[in-house]
Amino acid sequence: MMEKTIDFTFANSLLKPRPQDGHKGTFGHALIIAGKYGMAGASVLAAKACLRTGVGKVTVLCPHKNNDILQIAVPEAILKHDPSETLFSEAIDIEAYDAVAIGPGIGTSTETALALHEQIKIIKESSRKHPLLMDADALNILSQNPSWANDIPDGTIITPHKGEQKRLKNAGISLDRFILVDKGHPTKIILPSNNVYTCPYGNDGMATAGSGDVLTGIITGLLAQGFEPQDAAILGVTLHALAGDAATAALGSHSVIASDIIEFLPEAFKIIRGTSH
C-alpha cells in the first residue's frame, strides 16, 4: 500500500491539455441522474459544477416538474425528462454519454431502486466504457440491496459521507472494487489497489448542504472529458477543496454555501496551474 498527500504539482500533472481547435464534442458529454421533485437543487448544483470543469455537454435526467427550475437555473444543460413525476422511474440508453453520475436527491423508493439496478446493469454490459459515479441515494439504495453490488462495474467511483459509508459496510458490501472517495477532513481517495491519496485542502465552511452534489458534478465532468477514474477522483476532490478554500477566504467559513464552491472553481484551476494571483 502506498500513501501520498496531494500537492499542487501532483494535481497539475493530472490535468489534460485542452486542444485549441476543440469543440463541445471534443470535451465529452456527461449524464447526471439527480434531483427528484422537491430536490431539484441537487441536479442544479451537480450540473453547474460539471459544466465548470470544462465538459462539453451535460444532460440531466429530471422529472417534468423540475423542467422550469433547471431551464432557468442551468440554461447550458440539456434536459431529458423521466416519465415519472418524481425520478427516476426507468433506466435509459446511455450510449450517447461519456460518463454517468447517479444519486444526488433521487430518493429511495422501490420504483427508483429498480430503475437504478437496471441502469447499472446496462452500464456494465455496454459495448464501450461509461465511467460511473454513485453518490447519495444511489448508495443508500445499494445498502438496502447489497446483492446488487455485484452488478456495479469495477472501478466505479463512490462518494459516501460517513453515514452512507457505515450503512454500506453494515450491509456487508466490500468497497475494495470501487474507487472510494472517503469524504471528510481530510478527504481520502482509496483505490482498489489500496493506495491512498489524501487531500490536505478544504475547510469547515464546506460543511454545508449541497457540497457533495458539487463534488459529484466536478468528478463527473472530468470523467466525461476522458480522465481515468482514479485521476478524476483525485483531481476532482482537490479542485473541490481548493474552491472551498478560496470561497472561505473571500466570504468567511460561516457564510459559504455550495453555490459559492462552484463560483470559485475557476480560481481552483488557476491555483493548481500556478497562475493564481
Side-chain angles (χ1 to χ4, degrees):
M1 184 181 79
M2 180 270 289
E3 295 192 24
K4 179 178 178 62
T5 298
I6 301 164
D7 57 26
F8 299 159
T9 300
F10 178 62
N12 189 43
S13 75
L14 301 179
L15 281 173
K16 289 176 172 287
R18 287 175 66 88
Q20 292 297 307
D21 59 350
H23 51 80
K24 64 185 178 184
T26 305
F27 300 112
H29 190 171
L31 172 65
I32 295 174
I33 300 174
K36 68 176 183 176
Y37 183 57
M39 293 289 289
S43 49
V44 169
L45 291 167
K48 279 189 171 183
C50 191
L51 286 159
R52 280 288 187 196
T53 67
V55 73
K57 293 184 285 186
V58 175
T59 290
V60 179
L61 180 68
C62 69
H64 285 272
K65 284 185 174 181
N66 286 355
N67 179 82
D68 292 356
I69 295 170
L70 282 157
Q71 292 281 25
I72 294 168
V74 199
E76 300 89 351
I78 303 163
L79 303 186
K80 183 174 179 63
H81 296 120
D82 189 89
S84 169
E85 287 192 350
T86 54
L87 180 86
F88 88 105
S89 64
E90 62 183 35
I92 64 169
D93 178 50
I94 44 84
E95 289 309 308
Y97 309 107
D98 299 299
V100 182
I102 311 176
I106 62 172
T108 58
S109 70
T110 299
E111 183 180 42
T112 295
L114 293 173
L116 170 67
H117 189 205
E118 186 62 28
Q119 193 72 68
I120 59 178
K121 288 193 291 184
I122 288 172
I123 292 169
K124 185 175 184 178
E125 295 164 5
S126 174
S127 59
R128 72 180 181 95
K129 283 181 63 177
H130 294 82
L132 172 64
L133 182 150
M134 296 177 66
D135 181 38
D137 284 330
L139 301 177
N140 292 326
I141 290 170
L142 187 61
S143 67
Q144 295 164 7
N145 302 275
S147 65
W148 295 358
N150 297 324
D151 296 315
I152 300 172
D154 290 343
T156 290
I157 299 171
I158 61 172
T159 56
H161 59 54
K162 299 301 183 187
E164 291 159 350
Q165 191 172 158
K166 183 178 180 180
R167 285 191 283 274
L168 290 168
K169 290 181 177 178
N170 287 344
I173 297 171
S174 172
L175 306 184
D176 295 344
R177 291 174 44 239
F178 308 124
I179 296 170
L180 170 63
V181 175
D182 183 10
K183 293 192 289 197
H185 188 67
T187 292
K188 296 178 181 288
I189 301 93
I190 304 169
L191 306 182
S193 62
N194 282 329
N195 290 343
V196 178
Y197 293 84
T198 300
C199 179
Y201 314 113
N203 63 86
D204 61 288
M206 301 173 70
T208 184
S211 181
D213 304 330
V214 173
L215 178 61
T216 288
I218 294 169
I219 296 175
T220 306
L222 296 171
L223 288 173
Q225 290 175 72
F227 287 77
E228 289 298 319
Q230 73 173 53
D231 293 346
I234 294 167
L235 184 56
V237 165
T238 306
L239 287 165
H240 182 253
L242 290 173
D245 285 345
T248 295
L251 304 171
S253 61
H254 289 85
S255 299
V256 172
I257 59 175
S259 297
D260 298 325
I261 300 172
I262 300 171
E263 294 303 313
F264 280 90
L265 271 172
E267 182 66 16
F269 276 104
K270 291 177 182 178
I271 291 169
I272 288 175
R273 290 196 176 102
T275 59
S276 178
H277 299 292

